Each structure stands twice: as C-alpha cells, then as structure tokens.
Amino acid sequence: GSSPSAITTATASANTNIALIKYWGKVDEAQAIPATSSLSLTLGGTRTTTTVSFDGGDGAADSVTINGASPSAVELERVTRFLDLVRARSGVTAPATITSRASVPLAAGLASSAAGFAALAAAASRAAGMDLDGRELSRLARRGSGSATRSVFGGLVLWNAGHDDASSYAEPVACEMDLAMVVVVLSQRYKPISSTLAMRATMSSSPLFPAWVEASGRDLQVALEAVRAGDLARLGEIVEGNALGMHATMIAARPGIIYWLPQTVAALHAIRAMREEGLPVWATIDAGPNVKVLTEGARAEEVAAALRDRLTGTAVSVRRPGGGVRIEEG
Ligand code: 2P0
C-alpha cells in the first residue's frame, strides 16, 4: 500500500461533549493551557464530520465550507491558524479544502467548537500524513478549542490541565454509571460574547477567579470519587454546584458576564422542584442561556417528559454517552 505520508485527504468525525466540571480560563492563551482540569461526558448522536484535503484550497488560501456555507472571517482565520500548526509540524505547505457538517443543528443548544475542532484535528493530521495517538490528537485539538481536547475520547473524559503542551491532554475515565444528559433549549438567541473573550475577561477582572480555581480542584476530586463509587446524587450535587460557581465567577467580572436569561433561572428552580419530588436531576449551564440536566439513563425519558411539562415552549432532547473521534474510511 501507500505510505502514510502520501495521504493528502482524510475524513474524521467527533461528537460534542458537556463538561460536568468546567473549564473556564487559560493560564497560557498561545498554548491553550487551562487554569483548571475539567471532566466531561461525550454525547452520542452529535457528530460533526469534516474532510480535509491539502489540495491547494482556492489557490492562495484555505477554502472552508461549514454546513454548506462560508464561515465568517473570524471563523475562517481560526481554522487557517489551526491548519498552519498542522502544516508547520508535518511539512505540508499546500492550502487545504475543508468541508464540515454537523449532524445536529446549532439550534439544538449544543453549539460547540468541541466536535468541530476534534474532527478537524483528526482529519487534518491524517491528511497531512501524521499518525497521532489519542493523547497527541487531544493535545493538537486543544490548540483549536479547549473543549475539543475532551471530544477526542468517548464517554467520561478528564482533561488534565497540565502546565505545558506535553502535559495538557485528555484521557478517558472508567465509568460504570448509567448517565444521560437532557438538553433544554430555552432560547435560540445567539450568545452575546464568545467563550474565549469571556474567559479572558473573567480571569483579568473577576475578584472571585482565584477562589473558583481552588474550588474547582476540590470539585474534580469529589466528582471522580463519586464516579468510582457510582453515587449519582453526590456527582449531581457537585456538577450543579460547579456550574453555578463558574457563572457566579463570571457574573462578578467587571463588567459582569451574564449568559442567563429569565428562563434560565426558571429552569433552575423547576429542576430543584423536580429533585424535591424525587427525580434524579442536576443542572449544568455553559456559555449561553440553555440548561443541560444530568440524570440517570434509565429515567431520562421520564425526566424529559417532566421538563416539557414544567417548561412549556422549550425544546427538550435526551442525549446519551457517545464515542470518541473516528477516522471515516473511504
Ligand atoms: C467547558 N465551556 O468546560 C466550558 C464550560 C463553556 C462553559 O469550554 O476559547 O469553546 O475555544 O478554548 O472550549 C467553551 O469554551 O473555548 C467551554 P476556547 P471553548 O465546556
């Protein structure tokens, strides 16, 4: 057969993930080294599939198509900067043609660069003739977007913050628990500020940030213990507390960063009420107004129905754990 270095086209896919213990802040922006380690669940049925060909692109530059359309100048620059990294490492010099398609619409509340950059890292490195193992791939994906570091692997995933490029990578965590996430889309309004900018502002101006970093380290240890013990209530409490702590920290930035809408607060109260009635439900919230509910897989449909009852006018969907990055043959 042909040597790996002869490959110039490759297709790969990756699922998105939701953090149970959050990543919020980089100590080194250029290398994308996070301030804290994080823990996430990769979600099934949320793949983005990306093809990269180092074929000369549009002649002078990379040609990028995302969901059938041209990306914004900012998105294009981010993809090109990432491919420049792959070109520098592999020795490939040609511009590329990139086509990417998400299997889940942005309106589903899972808009995330995690699946996109994990799939791009796998397709681009393979197309450039590099043969990376999971850890190396997760380190590369990290340079595209922090949360993409975790989407390289399936199921429960730990991103070790580390202190430099070699030590900041993700790895799968053994988990025998039956977990699911119920996604509640409260608003399809576009988020007002990007995660990258919001993290920077939180680190530079929130007086709560040092306390967040300290609390997050403890939260992670408790979460990992709860997973080892198979204790969903303990895990859920720490997951909800960690997300609320992240938002409290960014709300305390100057000016405050408020991703929540009134419906977000209403959903948090509804979830508390459901918990008091005995349902295993704990909330987490990312860089937007929507709420994701950690629950037991066996009760996920019951939980989804209860959420639809209480939160009329919202779109509720059940997501179960899914696999990691996949190279698509052919
Ligand atoms: C997370 N989020 O752990 C956190 C929680 C959102 C809230 O990672 O700047 O798109 O590209 O590294 O990964 C979203 O931020 O930010 C995110 P960059 P990213 O999932």
Side-chain angles (χ1 to χ4, degrees):
S2 56
S3 71
S5 61
I7 296 171
T8 58
T9 298
T11 298
S13 72
N15 279 310
T16 192
N17 71 79
I18 300 294
L20 303 179
I21 301 297
K22 303 298 189 183
Y23 145 59
W24 198 254
K26 301 175 189 73
V27 292
D28 179 340
E29 282 213 8
Q31 295 281 329
I33 310 301
T36 60
S37 296
S38 55
L39 182 71
S40 61
L41 192 64
T42 298
L43 303 185
T46 64
R47 280 184 189 272
T48 290
T49 303
T50 300
T51 299
V52 175
S53 273
F54 287 102
D55 59 0
D58 70 9
D62 295 317
S63 163
V64 181
T65 306
I66 301 174
N67 294 326
S70 294
S72 70
V74 172
E75 288 170 311
L76 177 62
E77 206 219 299
R78 200 165 171 181
V79 170
T80 288
R81 243 190 303 133
F82 182 79
L83 289 175
D84 285 345
L85 209 65
V86 173
R87 280 185 282 253
R89 288 187 192 176
S90 65
V92 169
T93 55
T97 299
I98 299 101
T99 46
S100 185
R101 188 164 288 281
S103 61
V104 173
L106 287 178
L110 292 166
S112 166
S113 49
F117 276 103
L120 181 63
S125 58
R126 174 62 73 98
M130 300 161 78
D131 187 19
L132 304 183
D133 64 21
R135 180 178 296 187
E136 290 167 331
L137 192 56
S138 105
R139 286 168 50 202
L140 177 62
R142 192 192 77 235
R143 303 291 294 273
S145 184
S147 48
T149 312
R150 301 182 308 235
S151 268
V152 167
F153 300 104
L156 196 68
V157 179
L158 171 66
W159 174 13
N160 302 289
H163 53 84
D164 61 6
D165 175 60
S167 57
S168 188
Y169 57 85
E171 59 191 342
V173 174
C175 176
E176 311 220 314
M177 299 177 76
D178 175 29
L179 302 176
M181 284 280 185
V182 183
V183 180
V184 182
V185 179
L186 301 158
S187 166
Q188 304 193 355
R189 211 181 64 165
Y190 208 68
K191 64 184 176 190
I193 171 173
S194 77
S195 297
T196 307
L197 295 179
M199 282 180 204
R200 198 182 291 161
T202 304
M203 283 189 81
S204 65
S205 73
S206 173
L208 305 192
F209 193 76
W212 152 258
V213 170
E214 231 185 277
S216 178
R218 286 193 300 270
D219 287 350
L220 178 62
Q221 292 317 313
V222 175
L224 290 171
E225 276 168 36
V227 167
R228 278 192 291 269
D231 187 339
L232 179 58
R234 186 140 184 256
L235 178 65
E237 275 159 30
I238 216 76
V239 164
E240 186 169 300
N242 182 267
L244 294 177
M246 177 186 74
H247 282 273
T249 305
M250 67 175 100
I251 287 169
R254 317 237 168 131
I257 297 158
I258 307 173
Y259 283 114
W260 295 4
L261 291 174
Q263 304 95 290
T264 310
V265 178
L268 287 172
H269 286 291
I271 289 159
R272 290 197 167 186
M274 288 166 63
R275 208 149 65 215
E276 273 158 29
E277 288 168 8
L279 283 171
V281 286
W282 294 271
T284 187
I285 307 170
D286 294 303
N290 300 320
V291 175
K292 291 103 183 185
V293 181
L294 176 67
T295 190
E296 186 186 335
R299 299 190 70 180
E301 294 300 340
E302 179 194 352
V303 163
L307 285 163
R308 285 184 194 108
D309 263 11
R310 284 182 180 267
L311 304 168
T312 49
T314 65
V316 176
S317 58
V318 172
R319 301 284 168 189
R320 297 180 190 277
V325 133
R326 209 160 66 194
I327 297 286
E328 310 287 344
E329 303 298 338

mmCIF file of all heavy atoms in Angstrom, residues 53-64 76-77 79-80 83-84 87 93-98:
data_model
loop_
_atom_site.group_PDB
_atom_site.id
_atom_site.type_symbol
_atom_site.label_atom_id
_atom_site.label_comp_id
_atom_site.label_asym_id
_atom_site.label_seq_id
_atom_site.Cartn_x
_atom_site.Cartn_y
_atom_site.Cartn_z
ATOM 1 N N SER A 53 -8.558 18.233 2.635
ATOM 2 C CA SER A 53 -7.694 17.883 1.508
ATOM 3 C C SER A 53 -6.631 18.953 1.359
ATOM 4 O O SER A 53 -6.974 20.127 1.170
ATOM 5 C CB SER A 53 -8.493 17.883 0.193
ATOM 6 O OG SER A 53 -9.084 16.672 -0.023
ATOM 7 N N PHE A 54 -5.366 18.571 1.418
ATOM 8 C CA PHE A 54 -4.306 19.551 1.152
ATOM 9 C C PHE A 54 -4.102 19.591 -0.367
ATOM 10 O O PHE A 54 -3.145 19.049 -0.898
ATOM 11 C CB PHE A 54 -3.035 19.173 1.917
ATOM 12 C CG PHE A 54 -3.173 19.436 3.387
ATOM 13 C CD1 PHE A 54 -3.424 18.397 4.281
ATOM 14 C CD2 PHE A 54 -3.065 20.735 3.888
ATOM 15 C CE1 PHE A 54 -3.560 18.635 5.638
ATOM 16 C CE2 PHE A 54 -3.212 20.982 5.262
ATOM 17 C CZ PHE A 54 -3.459 19.939 6.131
ATOM 18 N N ASP A 55 -5.044 20.224 -1.029
ATOM 19 C CA ASP A 55 -5.126 20.189 -2.491
ATOM 20 C C ASP A 55 -4.894 21.557 -3.125
ATOM 21 O O ASP A 55 -5.162 21.759 -4.298
ATOM 22 C CB ASP A 55 -6.511 19.666 -2.897
ATOM 23 C CG ASP A 55 -7.640 20.543 -2.346
ATOM 24 O OD1 ASP A 55 -7.349 21.547 -1.658
ATOM 25 O OD2 ASP A 55 -8.815 20.220 -2.604
ATOM 26 N N GLY A 56 -4.454 22.523 -2.326
ATOM 27 C CA GLY A 56 -4.236 23.873 -2.866
ATOM 28 C C GLY A 56 -5.347 24.841 -2.504
ATOM 29 O O GLY A 56 -5.250 26.030 -2.777
ATOM 30 N N GLY A 57 -6.417 24.343 -1.890
ATOM 31 C CA GLY A 57 -7.519 25.216 -1.465
ATOM 32 C C GLY A 57 -8.086 26.000 -2.625
ATOM 33 O O GLY A 57 -8.314 25.438 -3.697
ATOM 34 N N ASP A 58 -8.293 27.304 -2.445
ATOM 35 C CA ASP A 58 -8.830 28.108 -3.542
ATOM 36 C C ASP A 58 -7.688 28.738 -4.352
ATOM 37 O O ASP A 58 -7.889 29.693 -5.092
ATOM 38 C CB ASP A 58 -9.814 29.161 -3.019
ATOM 39 C CG ASP A 58 -9.130 30.271 -2.223
ATOM 40 O OD1 ASP A 58 -7.873 30.323 -2.226
ATOM 41 O OD2 ASP A 58 -9.834 31.072 -1.604
ATOM 42 N N GLY A 59 -6.491 28.215 -4.197
ATOM 43 C CA GLY A 59 -5.339 28.714 -4.956
ATOM 44 C C GLY A 59 -4.366 29.428 -4.033
ATOM 45 O O GLY A 59 -3.207 29.068 -3.951
ATOM 46 N N ALA A 60 -4.871 30.399 -3.257
ATOM 47 C CA ALA A 60 -3.989 31.178 -2.386
ATOM 48 C C ALA A 60 -4.227 30.873 -0.920
ATOM 49 O O ALA A 60 -3.352 31.028 -0.086
ATOM 50 C CB ALA A 60 -4.204 32.663 -2.644
ATOM 51 N N ALA A 61 -5.437 30.422 -0.591
ATOM 52 C CA ALA A 61 -5.813 30.295 0.819
ATOM 53 C C ALA A 61 -6.622 29.020 1.037
ATOM 54 O O ALA A 61 -7.037 28.353 0.079
ATOM 55 C CB ALA A 61 -6.637 31.511 1.248
ATOM 56 N N ASP A 62 -6.859 28.707 2.308
ATOM 57 C CA ASP A 62 -7.720 27.577 2.635
ATOM 58 C C ASP A 62 -9.156 27.920 2.228
ATOM 59 O O ASP A 62 -9.608 29.052 2.385
ATOM 60 C CB ASP A 62 -7.678 27.310 4.144
ATOM 61 C CG ASP A 62 -6.298 26.874 4.603
ATOM 62 O OD1 ASP A 62 -5.670 26.054 3.905
ATOM 63 O OD2 ASP A 62 -5.854 27.354 5.670
ATOM 64 N N SER A 63 -9.837 26.907 1.695
ATOM 65 C CA SER A 63 -11.242 27.082 1.323
ATOM 66 C C SER A 63 -12.094 26.296 2.315
ATOM 67 O O SER A 63 -11.941 25.083 2.447
ATOM 68 C CB SER A 63 -11.432 26.558 -0.108
ATOM 69 O OG SER A 63 -12.793 26.356 -0.368
ATOM 70 N N VAL A 64 -12.957 26.980 3.038
ATOM 71 C CA VAL A 64 -13.688 26.348 4.138
ATOM 72 C C VAL A 64 -15.193 26.446 3.918
ATOM 73 O O VAL A 64 -15.713 27.526 3.609
ATOM 74 C CB VAL A 64 -13.327 27.009 5.496
ATOM 75 C CG1 VAL A 64 -14.063 26.325 6.648
ATOM 76 C CG2 VAL A 64 -11.817 26.965 5.735
ATOM 77 N N LEU A 76 -12.983 31.618 9.725
ATOM 78 C CA LEU A 76 -12.017 31.192 8.705
ATOM 79 C C LEU A 76 -10.586 31.362 9.225
ATOM 80 O O LEU A 76 -9.741 30.482 9.060
ATOM 81 C CB LEU A 76 -12.227 32.001 7.417
ATOM 82 C CG LEU A 76 -11.233 31.721 6.285
ATOM 83 C CD1 LEU A 76 -11.316 30.269 5.825
ATOM 84 C CD2 LEU A 76 -11.494 32.652 5.094
ATOM 85 N N GLU A 77 -10.334 32.478 9.882
ATOM 86 C CA GLU A 77 -8.990 32.736 10.402
ATOM 87 C C GLU A 77 -8.612 31.712 11.464
ATOM 88 O O GLU A 77 -7.464 31.261 11.540
ATOM 89 C CB GLU A 77 -8.929 34.151 10.982
ATOM 90 C CG GLU A 77 -7.509 34.707 10.955
ATOM 91 C CD GLU A 77 -7.184 35.506 12.203
ATOM 92 O OE1 GLU A 77 -7.869 36.518 12.435
ATOM 93 O OE2 GLU A 77 -6.266 35.089 12.934
ATOM 94 N N VAL A 79 -9.680 28.608 11.675
ATOM 95 C CA VAL A 79 -9.387 27.330 11.005
ATOM 96 C C VAL A 79 -8.017 27.395 10.351
ATOM 97 O O VAL A 79 -7.207 26.462 10.456
ATOM 98 C CB VAL A 79 -10.497 26.993 9.974
ATOM 99 C CG1 VAL A 79 -10.089 25.814 9.113
ATOM 100 C CG2 VAL A 79 -11.814 26.710 10.692
ATOM 101 N N THR A 80 -7.720 28.499 9.658
ATOM 102 C CA THR A 80 -6.426 28.625 8.974
ATOM 103 C C THR A 80 -5.275 28.625 9.970
ATOM 104 O O THR A 80 -4.240 27.987 9.745
ATOM 105 C CB THR A 80 -6.418 29.898 8.096
ATOM 106 O OG1 THR A 80 -7.262 29.655 6.971
ATOM 107 C CG2 THR A 80 -5.014 30.229 7.600
ATOM 108 N N LEU A 83 -4.752 25.072 10.940
ATOM 109 C CA LEU A 83 -4.108 24.287 9.880
ATOM 110 C C LEU A 83 -2.638 24.686 9.717
ATOM 111 O O LEU A 83 -1.805 23.847 9.355
ATOM 112 C CB LEU A 83 -4.867 24.448 8.562
ATOM 113 C CG LEU A 83 -6.230 23.761 8.535
ATOM 114 C CD1 LEU A 83 -6.954 24.077 7.235
ATOM 115 C CD2 LEU A 83 -6.095 22.250 8.695
ATOM 116 N N ASP A 84 -2.311 25.955 9.983
ATOM 117 C CA ASP A 84 -0.907 26.388 9.920
ATOM 118 C C ASP A 84 -0.051 25.584 10.897
ATOM 119 O O ASP A 84 1.102 25.257 10.612
ATOM 120 C CB ASP A 84 -0.784 27.883 10.238
ATOM 121 C CG ASP A 84 -1.240 28.765 9.074
ATOM 122 O OD1 ASP A 84 -1.375 28.235 7.942
ATOM 123 O OD2 ASP A 84 -1.468 29.977 9.296
ATOM 124 N N ARG A 87 0.415 22.239 9.304
ATOM 125 C CA ARG A 87 1.382 22.375 8.207
ATOM 126 C C ARG A 87 2.806 22.497 8.752
ATOM 127 O O ARG A 87 3.731 21.850 8.256
ATOM 128 C CB ARG A 87 1.009 23.572 7.324
ATOM 129 C CG ARG A 87 -0.128 23.251 6.328
ATOM 130 C CD ARG A 87 -0.409 24.402 5.365
ATOM 131 N NE ARG A 87 -1.193 25.446 6.011
ATOM 132 C CZ ARG A 87 -2.491 25.675 5.758
ATOM 133 N NH1 ARG A 87 -3.136 24.942 4.858
ATOM 134 N NH2 ARG A 87 -3.126 26.624 6.393
ATOM 135 N N THR A 93 2.780 22.059 2.819
ATOM 136 C CA THR A 93 2.706 23.516 2.667
ATOM 137 C C THR A 93 1.436 23.984 1.954
ATOM 138 O O THR A 93 1.090 25.159 2.015
ATOM 139 C CB THR A 93 3.922 24.044 1.886
ATOM 140 O OG1 THR A 93 3.984 23.332 0.649
ATOM 141 C CG2 THR A 93 5.204 23.849 2.683
ATOM 142 N N ALA A 94 0.746 23.064 1.291
ATOM 143 C CA ALA A 94 -0.383 23.473 0.447
ATOM 144 C C ALA A 94 -1.572 23.978 1.266
ATOM 145 O O ALA A 94 -1.861 23.450 2.340
ATOM 146 C CB ALA A 94 -0.832 22.287 -0.408
ATOM 147 N N PRO A 95 -2.284 24.991 0.746
ATOM 148 C CA PRO A 95 -3.580 25.329 1.332
ATOM 149 C C PRO A 95 -4.536 24.136 1.205
ATOM 150 O O PRO A 95 -4.321 23.243 0.377
ATOM 151 C CB PRO A 95 -4.069 26.505 0.488
ATOM 152 C CG PRO A 95 -2.845 27.067 -0.155
ATOM 153 C CD PRO A 95 -1.929 25.890 -0.373
ATOM 154 N N ALA A 96 -5.578 24.129 2.012
ATOM 155 C CA ALA A 96 -6.480 22.980 2.061
ATOM 156 C C ALA A 96 -7.914 23.361 1.703
ATOM 157 O O ALA A 96 -8.308 24.529 1.816
ATOM 158 C CB ALA A 96 -6.454 22.381 3.459
ATOM 159 N N THR A 97 -8.659 22.351 1.282
ATOM 160 C CA THR A 97 -10.109 22.486 1.165
ATOM 161 C C THR A 97 -10.714 21.721 2.340
ATOM 162 O O THR A 97 -10.379 20.552 2.557
ATOM 163 C CB THR A 97 -10.614 21.894 -0.164
ATOM 164 O OG1 THR A 97 -9.990 22.615 -1.230
ATOM 165 C CG2 THR A 97 -12.128 22.005 -0.280
ATOM 166 N N ILE A 98 -11.575 22.392 3.091
ATOM 167 C CA ILE A 98 -12.185 21.798 4.290
ATOM 168 C C ILE A 98 -13.697 21.878 4.153
ATOM 169 O O ILE A 98 -14.247 22.963 3.903
ATOM 170 C CB ILE A 98 -11.766 22.563 5.574
ATOM 171 C CG1 ILE A 98 -10.264 22.519 5.776
ATOM 172 C CG2 ILE A 98 -12.467 22.004 6.810
ATOM 173 C CD1 ILE A 98 -9.583 23.783 5.344
#
